[in-house]
Structures are given as C-alpha cells and as structure tokens.
Amino acid sequence: QVQLVESGGGLVQPGGSLRLSCAASGSIFRLNGMAWYRQAPGKWREQVATITNSGSAVYADSVKGRFTISRDNARNTVYLQMNSLKPEDTAVYYCNAWDDYEYWGQGTQVTVSS
C-alpha cells in the first residue's frame, strides 16, 4: 500500500506561481512512477505531468513550458512547479502513483482568479 498526501494549493492571480507537493509513504520502493492529474468542474480528470523512476518527464500540451514536475527521492516527495498560471488551470489537483496498482491522493484545490 502507498499513501499520498498533497499540499500547496490555494488562490493565485493570473500569471502567478504555485508549487504543489506530494509526499509518499508506505511501499514506495515498488512504485514505477508518479504523476499529477487535475479535474475542473464538469470536466474529465486529465493527466498534467508524469515522472518515471528514471526521471523522464512528460507533460500535457496545455502546460508545457509552464509547469515542471520533479522528485526528491530522499524526501519521497514529488513536486509540481506551476508558473504563468491561467484561469483555465483552476482545478483540483491530484497526486497519482502506480506499481501493480494505482494510488491517489485526496486532492488539493488550485484557483487562478483575479
């Protein structure tokens, strides 16, 4: 079992920045990778960024050049640095991890508004 706890969401003005954190605990040595997803009201959950154990990162087209996913293995934590935020980035952001199973955090709200 793996437990994921997100933090760092909040209210930010357009053009601003936020950094989300996801702390993993439990059987993390079995994980193959971690990711961030988001879900806006009335929309499907979408994958935002993924990072594998080797450090390879993949981004959704909508966030390329603005968001950066990174990991601190010593802290068992994955980060999502979000810059140049837009109102359409408003969503609940979820941390995700997988091995033979898939694990989810509880989500953290990000609101981009003036």
Side-chain angles (χ1 to χ4, degrees), residues 56-108:
S56 297
V58 177
Y59 298 93
D61 287 343
S62 58
V63 306
K64 279 181 183 176
R66 300 189 299 121
F67 290 12
T68 303
I69 189 170
S70 62
R71 61 191 299 161
D72 183 337
N73 291 330
R75 297 177 184 270
N76 299 325
T77 299
V78 170
Y79 302 98
L80 185 67
Q81 178 66 44
M82 306 185 294
N83 299 328
S84 302
L85 283 161
K86 305 175 182 180
E88 51 263 42
D89 294 317
T90 295
V92 178
Y93 283 71
Y94 295 91
C95 183
N96 168 269
W98 69 92
D99 46 37
D100 292 336
Y101 302 94
E102 199 165 23
Y103 308 97
W104 294 91
Q106 81 285 354
T108 185

Side-chain angles (χ1 to χ4, degrees), residues 16-71:
S17 298
L18 279 176
R19 189 177 80 157
L20 305 182
S21 300
C22 174
S25 61
S27 301
I28 58 175
F29 61 93
R30 295 170 53 91
L31 293 177
N32 296 316
M34 297 183 72
W36 287 96
Y37 284 71
R38 66 185 181 187
Q39 187 167 19
K43 295 189 176 181
W44 295 103
R45 188 173 296 189
E46 65 170 342
Q47 189 177 76
V48 175
T50 300
I51 188 164
T52 65
N53 284 348
S54 64
S56 297
V58 177
Y59 298 93
D61 287 343
S62 58
V63 306
K64 279 181 183 176
R66 300 189 299 121
F67 290 12
T68 303
I69 189 170
S70 62
R71 61 191 299 161

